[in-house]
Amino acid sequence: MRTLRRFLMRLLSWTSTTLDEDRLKSEIEEHLALQTADNLRAGISPAEARRQAVLKFGAVESIKENYRDGRGLPFFEAWLQDTRYALRRLRKSPAFTVTVILTLALGIGATTSIFTLVHAVIMKSLAVANPAELYRLGKESRCCYWGGFSQEGEFSIFSYDLYKHFRDHTEGFEELAAFQAGGALFGVRRSGSTQAAQSYPGEFVSGNYFTMFGIRAYAGRLLAADEDRAGAPPVAVMSYRLWQQQYGSDPSVIGGSFSLDQKSFTVVGITPPGFFGDKLRAIPPDFFLPLASETLLGTAGDLNQPDQYWLDLIGRIRPGAAPASVEADMRVELKQWLRSHWADMDANDRVKFPEQTLFLRPGGAGITSMREEYEHWLEVLMMVSSFVLLIVCANVANLMIVRGMERRRQISLSMALGAQASRLVKQALTESVWLSLAGGVAGLAVAFAGTRLVLHFAFPHIAGMGSVPISASPSMPVLLFAFGISLFTGIAFGIAPAWMATRVDPSEALRGASRSTARTGSLPRKTLVVFQAALSLVLLAASGLLTAALHHLENQDFGFLQDRRTIVRIDPGLAGYEANQLSTLYGRIHDSLSSVPGVWDAAAAMYSPLSGNNWGAGVWVDGQPPPGPHDDNLAFWDRVSAGYFEVIGTPILSGRGIARQDTATSQPVAVINQAFARKYFPHQNPIGKYFGRTEMQSSRVYQVVGITADARYLDSAFDKPVGPFFFLPEPQHDVSPHDGKDIDPGSHFLHDIVVVTQPGAHVSAAQLRQAMASVDPNLPIISVQTLKEQVAGQFRQQRLIARLTSFFGVLSLVLASIGLYGVTAYNAARRTNEIGVRVALGAHRAQVIALVLRGAIGLVAVGLVVGLPVALAAGRFLGSQLYGLNPYDPWVILLAVLTLEFSAFVASLIPAVRASFISPLDALRAE
Amino acid sequence: MDVRQGTLALMVLKTLDVLGPLHGYGIARRIEQISGDLLAVNQGTLYPVLLKLEQEGAIASEWGSSENNRRARFYRLTRDGRKQLQSETRDWEQTAAVIGRFFAVKAEDLK
């Protein structure tokens, strides 16, 4: 009770400081006066009286201090005082303060922003209820369509029939939902609107999708399980984002009628804001439709084909059920299901039957295709930003040491006057803490801006569409970690010099530091510079390698021409076109576009090069035995209109390309690329020979009429040469001679119209759009992009990584140079006397410069020796990111080394030159 | 003899109890007299003690005029202070009695 009262009184008395000071003073004066009077009365002389009174009283100042410690809040007051002092000192050296805060901000900000991204992409949970209870089928995602009855490694994509089998037989799942593995684009128009349809991303999902996720509608209602059946009225759920941005949260949308791909749907509700579906995507879906409606909209009727795999499965496990046993049960069910389709399986599938298995994995993060795609990138970025943080800390440490040394004399003086060592160290501590705090706050701003910047470049926002559901706010744990590191550095390197200074005998310190010959002061700084140089080398080498790899990627021989070519992306399915209307449509599009002034020609393709997708086929060469289950007979293919190769600029090496003579009734033909010829027709002339497809169970379907140069269509495996590829004519249908059925009806919906313009002509996107509109105003145009942009878009991430790494490489170089400059200047200053003597004895200016430079270059050389093995290891680590570039590329490493040495040279030149101007007289006179 | 702060506080309280309100110098002089010149030097250490007692509420202070007709700060015992004095006096007496018994013990008494 007494202590509490005391504390309160202390708190209150804090407000009356001056009054109390005055009071104490007058009380002490009074005491002394009375004592003096008594002494006088006792007969002591006046001078002695006062002196004895004071002696009897004791050390006045000390007692006053004791008194002061008793009132107020001395700890807090001391801290305030230190703060004010520290701020004043920091203000007086703006260069130091700004440099430290900036470097700290960059280090903390960069690290936080990268780690936030990593956290979001790798660890983000779905915006659903209890994500920890969710389990998905499949270790890795397989996208987006698969056929046959076998999947290598694991069954990770499923057909509707197989899903139903699992759903109805697996006890362990409380709720098992299925949803489209890929995505779909729907041409959407509100009923009654006269505007052209807009295309929006959407997804087919099972009726229990939302129930399984535990999601409640924001408005209206979500899908019910019984709506997902054939014959049910078509309904759809809209995303909150679209509802808000496009329809202004108009309540009449709910229950309203919309036409999706010319079919009528009722929007029954809105998903909650923040729900982004079942996987992290650059553009989240805006529409969710029941699986059953796929027969209305889908082009191939995937729903009812048991061997068409296009669904991912996620379910909520029954409480108490063990995932391992559920997995075992499902494996048995898979085998059961496969056996029930034994009659439909071909020979290869039957051979592979025993290997078929599946895996159950935690599904809280949904389908992690984005993580799988970017994981290595993010690891690289994490390493880079960690390096940057280390370099920044080294720089801050360096600067703090310098500052500490400047204060040495002052500290010695203070100690001589009676200051306590602990108080002096506390002062240094306060300054460091404030500096680190400021750096941390600035770092927060940098982190926020940095994350937004990286997201902007990695996932560019398309107007009207949703944006990637990654928040740019820095994640707290990362921020605290980075902040903690810099705080620790600031404190450690702020206190250490101060503490060391208080150990020195004040008289020795005040006598003059330069008289001592000890050189130990700069060893920690030298170590820091070496450390920085090593890390900078690694970053420079890494950025050099990445940039070189990027250059290789972007300037490779793609096999087609990018100049003067524009891609108009359409989806006739969205406008409700039927397969038999397509040829006419493409003809009209060709004529309309060709008539635009400046356009030389146009052609259509299912997919233009590097557009992100391609279809695969199993090749069966005529005259060869049918490919076995483990034979590699995969080839990718494209369907193109007449004159395509001239338009896209791929040279035809022999025979001819696809031409007008290839009609629906003429001989089915194919044009192959060199890789195909080499692989499937080695040492022969393929022209005139036949091949077929295992899916069609025939080896005599297409006649080879031409060979083109290898061109890159697939956007993966850039480090490997182009694989086998073949092209089929637009009007011809892949009818199997075996059973007369068209196996790829959907392949006639060509997506990309390639337009090539005359040299020197300028054709705008608006003109092209207009030409398209004159063919059919209701055909939505998904995008108009130059082929250059499309190709460049494929390398967006690589470019971003290369740029980021280069930026950090340059940054670290600058920081290392600053550190080196400081150390060299300091060392040169310390050697002033020595240099003066040397000059007096006849040394030339050049020799002095060389003397100083030697030390500096030597330091960097040590750093190089340390950093080189790490740089080589980093090259190894980058591995596949280099797309075949040699990670030990000597030119890149050499360039990095030279860059580092050159900046070291420049950084140390200035102090060296200044040192060379020292006149012996000044040197010897100076202290 | 260096007096510990706790005992000095007790002496102050007792002085004020016996002699009524005094100023700082007066308290110091009286303690000096009673303790037999043991508190001869470092009279200034009194003032932090007075501050502590005042913060705890054992004494209260106010301005008055001293013998020289100068302004001085006078301290007096409060009710809380009187209570504190009584309880501490009891504690001291108990302690002194126990210690005294220990010092009076001879080896034979414990056999």
Side-chain angles (χ1 to χ4, degrees):
Chain A
M1 195 52 220
R2 286 223 296 270
T3 25
L4 184 64
R5 201 205 136 102
R6 225 184 135 197
F7 178 73
L8 284 172
M9 293 303 293
R10 274 187 187 245
L11 207 59
L12 281 173
S13 65
W14 194 42
T15 54
S16 54
T17 317
T18 21
L19 276 171
D20 286 349
E21 252 329 278
D22 291 337
R23 176 185 133 175
L24 178 64
K25 230 161 121 198
S26 56
E27 257 194 288
I28 292 179
E29 258 315 303
E30 187 49 36
H31 184 121
L32 290 173
L34 286 168
Q35 179 74 70
T36 315
D38 278 349
N39 286 349
L40 283 173
R41 251 176 292 171
I44 305 173
S45 71
E48 267 302 301
R50 173 78 187 180
R51 185 174 157 265
Q52 293 226 358
V54 174
L55 277 175
K56 196 163 181 191
F57 189 83
V60 174
E61 285 307 317
S62 173
I63 293 185
K64 273 194 185 170
E65 276 223 17
N66 260 335
Y67 186 88
R68 281 190 211 116
D69 278 344
R71 62 166 297 286
L73 298 159
F75 182 73
F76 187 58
E77 282 171 11
W79 178 78
L80 255 187
Q81 203 180 16
D82 287 342
T83 304
R84 256 186 263 137
Y85 181 60
L87 290 177
R88 209 168 46 226
R89 284 203 73 219
L90 289 175
R91 242 207 321 271
K92 279 208 173 142
S93 43
F96 167 82
T97 315
V98 167
T99 313
V100 172
I101 292 183
L102 267 183
T103 45
L104 273 179
L106 273 164
I108 297 177
T111 314
T112 307
S113 121
I114 304 275
F115 276 73
T116 304
L117 273 174
V118 169
H119 180 90
V121 174
I122 292 192
M123 291 192 271
K124 189 177 173 82
S125 292
L126 295 179
V128 301
N130 296 333
E133 294 172 0
L134 298 176
Y135 280 84
R136 61 181 260 217
L137 255 73
K139 284 192 289 188
E140 280 191 9
S141 51
R142 202 172 236 138
C143 193
C144 308
Y145 292 95
W146 214 260
F149 283 96
S150 64
Q151 293 181 25
E152 190 150 327
E154 55 159 349
F155 245 80
S156 55
I157 192 168
F158 304 88
S159 68
Y160 187 51
D161 195 52
L162 182 52
Y163 159 64
K164 279 194 288 191
H165 183 81
F166 282 140
R167 186 192 62 192
D168 298 336
H169 289 93
T170 315
E171 299 286 317
F173 273 112
E174 197 174 280
E175 202 76 71
L176 182 66
F179 46 90
Q180 191 174 10
L185 274 177
F186 300 120
V188 177
R189 197 192 343 185
R190 194 146 180 203
S191 287
S193 153
T194 49
Q195 289 178 314
Q198 294 240 298
S199 70
Y200 289 109
E203 197 179 352
F204 292 104
V205 303
S206 60
N208 60 353
Y209 178 79
F210 294 106
T211 328
M212 190 272 297
F213 277 135
I215 298 281
R216 264 203 282 267
Y218 180 80
R221 65 171 180 83
L222 298 173
L223 297 180
D226 59 0
E227 282 180 309
D228 185 19
R229 59 183 165 78
V235 293
V237 171
M238 191 188 280
S239 72
Y240 178 80
R241 177 208 81 81
L242 186 64
W243 185 51
Q244 192 192 47
Q245 285 181 7
Q246 190 68 12
Y247 299 103
S249 306
D250 179 4
S252 71
V253 163
I254 302 163
S257 179
F258 282 75
S259 90
L260 268 64
D261 290 359
Q262 315 287 70
K263 309 282 193 316
S264 181
F265 277 77
T266 313
V267 170
V268 293
I270 311 289
T271 59
F275 178 69
F276 56 90
D278 45 81
K279 77 186 194 192
L280 200 60
R281 294 178 168 95
I283 302 180
D286 284 320
F287 285 94
F288 297 90
L289 274 58
L291 286 177
S293 50
E294 196 268 345
T295 46
L296 282 175
L297 298 177
T299 49
D302 292 325
L303 191 71
N304 294 317
Q305 307 238 46
D307 63 338
Q308 275 292 81
Y309 305 93
W310 60 294
L311 298 171
D312 273 324
L313 307 187
I314 288 188
R316 204 176 278 279
I317 290 233
R318 227 173 261 287
S325 62
V326 177
E327 184 185 70
D329 288 342
M330 292 187 89
R331 285 184 182 158
V332 171
E333 287 163 23
L334 173 67
K335 288 269 165 70
Q336 276 176 347
W337 182 83
L338 285 171
R339 220 169 280 150
S340 75
H341 287 276
W342 194 259
D344 304 319
M345 289 165 75
D346 67 21
N348 289 341
D349 285 334
R350 288 187 191 165
V351 171
K352 293 192 216 167
F353 169 78
E355 304 158 8
Q356 300 310 303
T357 183
L358 52 78
F359 295 93
L360 207 61
R361 285 288 176 272
I367 305 299
T368 51
S369 33
M370 191 182 270
R371 175 168 95 201
E372 290 155 22
E373 197 183 332
Y374 295 134
E375 206 155 14
H376 200 54
W377 283 133
L378 292 172
E379 277 168 8
V380 170
L381 278 182
M382 278 206 289
M383 295 259 90
V384 168
S385 58
S386 309
F387 275 28
V388 172
L389 188 63
L390 283 174
I391 291 180
V392 160
C393 286
N395 225 57
V396 169
N398 208 339
L399 289 168
M400 293 300 233
I401 290 181
V402 172
R403 193 154 171 86
M405 288 204 243
E406 283 169 9
R407 297 180 63 178
R408 250 171 157 207
R409 277 195 167 182
Q410 191 184 12
I411 289 177
S412 303
L413 196 64
S414 306
M415 284 197 67
L417 284 173
Q420 286 179 309
S422 63
R423 184 67 196 276
L424 291 168
V425 171
K426 238 198 293 176
Q427 267 182 351
L429 175 68
T430 316
E431 194 175 295
S432 304
V433 167
W434 276 107
L435 212 48
S436 304
L437 270 178
V441 168
L444 186 64
V446 171
F448 190 74
T451 314
R452 289 192 72 176
L453 213 67
V454 173
L455 280 177
H456 171 78
F457 282 112
F459 305 111
H461 180 75
I462 299 176
M465 298 285 154
S467 44
V468 64
I470 295 179
S471 162
S473 322
S475 73
M476 263 305 122
V478 177
L479 189 67
L480 287 173
F481 172 74
F483 180 65
I485 294 258
S486 41
L487 189 70
F488 173 74
T489 311
I491 291 176
F493 288 95
I495 292 190
W499 187 74
M500 284 197 293
T502 60
R503 316 277 285 166
V504 174
D505 182 16
S507 57
E508 198 183 291
L510 286 167
R511 209 182 299 137
S514 56
R515 300 236 193 261
S516 79
T517 50
R519 287 178 190 276
T520 53
S522 57
L523 182 63
R525 293 187 71 194
K526 280 186 180 168
T527 319
L528 286 171
V529 170
V530 166
F531 183 62
Q532 279 183 309
L535 288 178
S536 301
L537 180 68
V538 177
L539 280 182
L540 283 174
S543 64
L545 286 172
L546 285 171
T547 312
L550 179 70
H551 187 82
H552 263 215
L553 264 188
E554 287 182 325
N555 296 315
Q556 65 183 283
D557 178 17
F558 286 103
F560 54 85
L561 295 175
Q562 296 180 49
D563 288 329
R564 301 181 287 122
R565 276 140 180 98
T566 309
I567 311 285
V568 178
R569 180 157 297 164
I570 59 169
D571 193 340
L574 266 54
Y577 277 84
E578 303 287 340
N580 54 8
Q581 301 167 308
L582 292 172
S583 286
T584 333
L585 174 67
Y586 299 136
R588 288 174 57 206
I589 290 178
H590 173 267
D591 296 335
S592 174
L593 285 173
S594 303
S595 66
V596 173
V599 171
W600 181 60
D601 201 359
M606 200 164 63
Y607 293 108
S608 55
L610 295 175
S611 59
N613 203 0
N614 272 106
W615 290 29
V619 174
W620 182 3
V621 178
D622 192 34
Q624 308 260 359
H630 300 288
D631 287 340
D632 170 22
N633 66 330
L634 181 67
F636 287 91
W637 62 281
D638 204 358
R639 194 180 290 285
V640 302
S641 64
Y644 173 75
F645 295 105
E646 288 75 17
V647 169
I648 201 68
T650 303
I652 297 173
L653 300 175
S654 117
R656 65 172 179 85
I658 306 290
R660 290 209 178 276
Q661 67 201 77
D662 301 311
T663 64
T665 48
S666 69
Q667 161 70 30
V669 297
V671 173
I672 61 177
N673 72 350
Q674 278 178 296
F676 191 106
R678 269 197 297 267
K679 180 164 182 190
Y680 294 109
F681 297 102
H683 317 301
Q684 325 163 32
N685 181 7
I687 311 268
K689 301 228 168 31
Y690 288 84
F691 72 93
R693 288 160 63 176
T694 49
E695 302 82 86
M696 296 162 88
Q697 293 171 335
S698 165
S699 70
R700 202 176 170 89
V701 183
Y702 310 106
Q703 187 179 38
V704 178
V705 294
I707 307 178
T708 66
D710 287 337
R712 261 213 201 270
Y713 276 76
L714 294 170
D715 59 348
S716 56
F718 286 110
D719 51 341
K720 301 196 181 56
V722 174
F725 210 94
F726 62 95
F727 299 86
L728 301 177
E730 177 270 312
Q732 298 186 340
H733 290 255
D734 301 325
V735 174
S736 163
H738 180 77
D739 54 8
K741 282 206 280 213
D742 183 344
I743 63 161
D744 287 323
S747 68
H748 292 270
F749 288 83
L750 307 184
H751 293 121
D752 292 340
I753 316 286
V754 187
V755 178
V756 57
T757 57
Q758 315 266 19
H762 179 73
V763 179
S764 71
Q767 285 174 287
L768 294 175
R769 281 182 190 271
Q770 195 158 16
M772 294 295 297
S774 72
V775 171
D776 180 1
N778 289 323
L779 181 64
I781 295 179
I782 298 172
S783 65
V784 176
Q785 214 184 18
T786 63
L787 186 53
K788 269 210 181 110
E789 285 169 356
Q790 179 167 296
V791 172
Q794 287 301 326
F795 306 125
R796 198 181 302 128
Q797 274 82 31
Q798 286 89 318
R799 224 176 308 131
L800 184 62
I801 301 280
R803 279 202 197 139
L804 273 178
T805 316
S806 304
F807 170 68
F808 288 133
V810 168
L811 180 70
S812 64
L813 191 65
V814 168
L815 290 177
S817 305
I818 291 178
L820 183 65
Y821 170 84
V823 169
T824 314
Y826 177 73
N827 278 338
R830 286 180 104 226
R831 297 170 80 175
T832 312
N833 282 354
E834 179 199 337
I835 295 177
V837 170
R838 283 179 188 261
V839 172
L841 288 177
H844 300 302
R845 197 161 287 159
Q847 286 175 309
V848 174
I849 294 181
L851 179 73
V852 178
L853 278 181
R854 251 208 309 273
I857 306 283
L859 269 186
V860 175
V862 175
L864 285 177
V865 167
V866 172
L868 200 60
V870 186
L872 293 175
R876 264 277 300 279
F877 177 74
L878 285 175
S880 63
Q881 252 62 9
L882 298 178
Y883 299 103
L885 186 74
N886 177 13
Y888 308 126
D889 190 316
W891 291 113
V892 171
I893 308 274
L894 189 65
L895 186 64
V897 168
L898 285 178
T899 313
L900 191 59
E901 279 290 358
F902 180 71
S903 356
F905 177 74
V906 168
S908 45
L909 195 62
I910 303 169
V913 168
R914 260 208 259 142
S916 71
F917 279 97
I918 293 174
S919 84
L921 277 167
D922 292 332
L924 293 167
R925 212 184 293 143
E927 238 225 329
Chain B
M1 172 177 105
D2 247 342
V3 186
R4 268 187 234 120
Q5 275 223 332
T7 51
L8 189 55
L10 192 57
M11 287 185 220
V12 168
L13 291 177
K14 187 66 184 173
T15 312
L16 288 177
D17 180 40
V18 168
L19 294 170
L22 280 176
H23 53 55
Y25 179 65
I27 299 174
R29 281 296 304 277
R30 296 298 179 273
I31 291 178
E32 189 185 12
Q33 284 174 342
I34 296 168
S35 72
D37 289 340
L38 287 176
L39 190 52
V41 285
N42 286 348
Q43 284 182 332
T45 56
L46 187 64
Y47 286 93
V49 173
L50 287 173
L51 174 69
K52 182 164 172 285
L53 286 172
E54 192 171 352
Q55 283 179 341
E56 287 174 353
I59 61 179
S61 68
E62 59 193 4
W63 289 107
S65 65
S66 68
E67 299 92 62
N68 305 3
N69 262 331
R70 291 154 63 122
R71 224 161 80 104
R73 193 99 184 156
F74 280 82
Y75 296 89
R76 61 173 179 79
L77 200 60
T78 63
R79 204 177 46 218
D80 282 336
R82 189 154 286 127
K83 270 195 277 198
Q84 190 178 328
L85 176 63
Q86 284 169 349
S87 80
E88 287 206 21
T89 310
R90 253 199 319 273
D91 288 340
W92 266 101
E93 284 171 349
Q94 264 182 332
T95 314
V98 170
I99 297 284
R101 231 176 294 149
F102 264 92
F103 287 154
V105 150
K106 291 195 202 53
E108 304 84 61
D109 298 336
L110 287 172
K111 278 223 197 91

